[in-house]
Amino acid sequence: MKMSLIVVLAVYAAVSVAALIAYGADKWKAKRGKWRIPEKVLLLLSFFGGAVGGLSGMLLFRHKTRHWYFWFVNIVGLAWQAGLAVWLAVA
């Protein structure tokens, strides 16, 4: 496996874990009426490397699933992230 692919996959994993934690924390805060994580932060985490964690957080915590733009950003993010990984794997 190429070093660049390993680095990209490691970044995806780290950002996905961060996104999953952020979605869970925001849901926890929402239930308790506390200060929330801005939607922009959740969306940026998902789009820039954390789509797997973002989608997992949406489904696991049942959070932000009614907002079409969260689905859109996560799916588009997942598509470009997978595309980059495939391109690095074959290049």
Side-chain angles (χ1 to χ4, degrees):
M1 193 179 293
K2 298 175 185 174
M3 183 57 92
S4 57
L5 178 59
I6 293 170
V7 170
V8 166
L9 292 177
V11 169
Y12 287 173
V15 179
S16 285
V17 168
L20 180 65
I21 291 169
Y23 276 77
D26 191 52
K27 178 68 175 200
W28 184 86
K29 290 176 180 196
K31 285 183 171 182
R32 287 156 182 79
K34 302 213 180 253
W35 171 85
R36 304 280 302 277
I37 297 171
E39 286 187 344
K40 181 181 0 178
V41 171
L42 298 174
L43 291 168
L44 287 171
L45 280 170
S46 292
F47 188 76
F48 290 109
V52 171
L55 285 168
S56 298
M58 286 176 65
L59 297 172
L60 180 66
F61 303 116
R62 296 185 190 133
H63 192 49
K64 302 294 186 183
T65 57
R66 294 185 183 188
H67 299 288
W68 67 268
Y69 49 91
F70 271 86
W71 287 106
F72 180 79
V73 168
N74 276 284
I75 291 169
V76 170
L78 184 62
W80 84 257
Q81 290 161 36
L84 177 60
V86 169
W87 181 74
L88 288 172
V90 298

